[in-house]
Amino acid sequence: MANQSIKSAITQQIQTLYSMANKYSSVGDYSQALSYYTHALDVIQSTTNATTNLQELRYNIYLNICDIYIEQNEWAIAYKFNQEALNIANKLQEKIKIPACIDRQATIKKLQGNTQEALSNFKRSLDMKLKLLGENSLEISRSYR
């Protein structure tokens, strides 16, 4: 019973850190956001046998960090965090999470001026979304922006 209570408290702490990071990120305070995201990742890392929910949260944190570095034109760092998210998606066998990572790879390539590779990645992502979600999904419509 005490173990469950500790796990719940740790999960709540991670959720709070994640929420704070999102709040700072939404107002453009990337330094604070990165600090909270990093702290959340440290707590997750120190947790033995992280649950699937915590692994999914790690995936989201890595993508959010990637987005911050994309915004700051730090392509190599953004790519690194995107790869971490992709690794988690593959480990979790969450096929629906993979296109989000590919979209970010494409965005990085596009911003670097590599339009051919960007287009190839966007197309690959769209094909995966169509296969997984079908053509009438709202997620598919976002791919056409």
Side-chain angles (χ1 to χ4, degrees), residues 1-21:
M1 186 73 158
N3 245 359
Q4 188 64 26
S5 178
I6 292 170
K7 282 184 180 181
S8 178
I10 290 171
T11 300
Q12 183 60 44
Q13 177 190 14
I14 295 165
Q15 286 289 351
T16 300
L17 292 167
Y18 180 68
S19 294
M20 292 299 295

Side-chain angles (χ1 to χ4, degrees), residues 15 24 39 49 86-87 98 105 107-108 116 127 137 142:
Q15 286 289 351
Y24 282 110
H39 191 165
N49 300 326
L86 182 58
N87 290 340
I98 294 170
Q105 289 173 352
T107 298
I108 292 167
Q116 277 307 114
D127 290 344
S137 169
R142 290 186 195 112

